[in-house]
Amino acid sequence: LTHSRMAMAMNIRRAALATILSLIASSPLPCIGFSASKSNEPRGKGFTNKVVEDVVVRDVSAKIRRDKTPTSKPLNAREKSFSQRDPIISLNMNLDYLAKSGQKDAAKRCEEMLLRIEALHDDGYYEKSPDVVSYNSVINAYAHGSSVINPYAQRKSTNNSRSWQAKRLMKRMEEKGLTPNSITWNTLLRCILKEVGDKQWQRSSGQKVEEAESILTNMEKSGLATTISYNTVISTISKSKLNDSAERAESWLERMMKLYETTQNDKIQ
């Protein structure tokens, strides 16, 4: 009798389990925590880019939700940290990450993100617009990357080098009311340094050296020259393989040392 009761209880449990499984299978709701389309997707370049760029989308979506919500609930600690986060700081962090990622299209994606934020600012989604740090990160992306045709250029140009891209963005900065700082100019010098090292620009290495020297002279007059500025120009001269490269490089080194002795400026020691 006991064995018969146990068998009956087991059959009842099996029937109940089968009913539950059939209900789950017929439910239109997806299974939480599993996605057949994403579970096996490798977390490579595409995944990283999407994570970085989705920050902008989340910020905008959060703002839209806040605007449409008539009464807001008290935020917990995590939600409060996100609501108080400066979107421009988030943008700059993501731009800096992309610029140093080493990807071929990093500069293009950085500029796309920059223009997207500017457009959202113009439409009223953000109170702040991209700042000097934002533009410096995009210019740095061009300095790290290769010389590629930029789809946002105002006109077609065969002179589509890194320094050309940097000067184009610097002009846009000034149009936006932003003033390039020492980091901006040093990044431009780095662009010129990278070009002198490229085979496609070796024929114009003399012009690149003169351009770098002219930029550094103007930086000295504006008080923006730093040790990085002098080191970059000296490296540019040394890579140019000009006949007088040794004398020119030594001249700039002595000039930096003399300027430091005169001004005691820690930026150029």
Side-chain angles (χ1 to χ4, degrees):
L1 181 62
T2 303
H3 180 73
S4 177
R5 289 179 178 178
M6 290 178 63
M8 184 180 298
M10 184 65 69
N11 291 333
I12 293 174
R13 290 178 182 177
R14 288 176 180 175
L17 180 60
T19 303
I20 293 173
L21 291 176
S22 64
L23 290 174
I24 294 175
S26 61
S27 175
L29 296 177
C31 182
I32 300 174
F34 175 79
S35 174
S37 62
K38 294 184 179 179
S39 60
N40 297 325
E41 181 180 351
R43 296 194 173 190
K45 171 183 173 182
F47 175 83
T48 305
N49 291 340
K50 190 175 186 304
V51 169
V52 172
E53 294 180 350
D54 279 353
V55 173
V56 177
V57 178
R58 288 199 302 269
D59 286 343
V60 176
S61 300
K63 184 181 188 330
I64 293 175
R65 288 196 300 270
R66 289 196 302 269
D67 292 343
K68 289 184 177 181
T69 303
T71 57
S72 57
K73 298 180 180 179
L75 301 177
N76 57 37
R78 182 175 179 275
E79 292 173 337
K80 186 177 295 185
S81 65
F82 274 90
S83 66
Q84 294 176 351
R85 183 181 59 186
D86 190 336
I88 301 304
I89 294 178
S90 301
L91 169 68
N92 293 341
M93 292 174 63
N94 293 318
L95 288 176
D96 183 69
Y97 170 81
L98 273 179
K100 298 176 181 178
S101 64
Q103 300 171 9
K104 290 184 178 180
D105 60 345
K108 176 184 175 182
R109 300 179 77 90
C110 281
E111 190 162 358
E112 286 177 348
M113 193 180 299
L114 177 72
L115 296 178
R116 188 186 306 173
I117 295 297
E118 285 185 342
L120 291 171
H121 167 70
D122 294 340
D123 292 340
Y125 285 102
Y126 285 148
E127 295 181 359
K128 296 182 180 179
S129 61
D131 53 15
V132 177
V133 178
S134 310
Y135 275 89
N136 287 347
S137 296
V138 179
I139 295 173
N140 192 35
Y142 281 108
H144 278 82
S146 58
S147 296
V148 294
I149 297 176
N150 178 35
Y152 300 103
Q154 295 293 330
R155 58 184 177 83
K156 299 292 183 179
S157 175
T158 56
N159 187 17
N160 205 26
S161 61
R162 297 182 184 88
S163 60
W164 185 86
Q165 302 284 10
K167 287 182 284 188
R168 176 182 60 80
L169 287 169
M170 292 171 68
K171 182 179 179 181
R172 181 179 177 85
M173 285 178 63
E174 296 174 349
E175 292 173 352
K176 294 289 183 178
L178 302 173
T179 303
N181 56 18
S182 59
I183 297 177
T184 314
W185 290 106
N186 286 337
T187 309
L188 173 58
L189 289 174
R190 178 180 172 80
C191 291
I192 297 174
L193 171 61
K194 294 286 289 291
E195 290 169 2
V196 172
D198 289 345
K199 294 182 179 179
Q200 59 179 335
W201 301 106
Q202 284 183 352
R203 293 183 179 180
S204 59
S205 59
Q207 296 178 355
K208 297 294 181 181
V209 168
E210 292 178 357
E211 182 181 4
E213 290 178 330
S214 175
I215 291 172
L216 181 52
T217 301
N218 292 331
M219 291 179 69
E220 288 178 335
K221 295 178 181 178
S222 303
L224 297 175
T226 64
T227 304
I228 296 176
S229 311
Y230 287 96
N231 290 344
T232 306
V233 170
I234 291 173
S235 297
T236 302
I237 295 172
S238 64
K239 286 189 175 183
S240 66
K241 298 181 180 180
L242 298 176
N243 295 332
D244 60 342
S245 59
E247 291 79 5
R248 295 175 80 157
E250 185 176 1
S251 175
W252 280 105
L253 178 60
E254 293 176 352
R255 184 168 174 171
M256 179 180 66
M257 295 172 62
K258 184 177 180 180
L259 184 61
Y260 174 71
E261 292 176 358
T262 304
T263 61
Q264 293 295 312
N265 187 354
D266 294 337
K267 294 182 180 180
I268 55 174
Q269 62 178 347

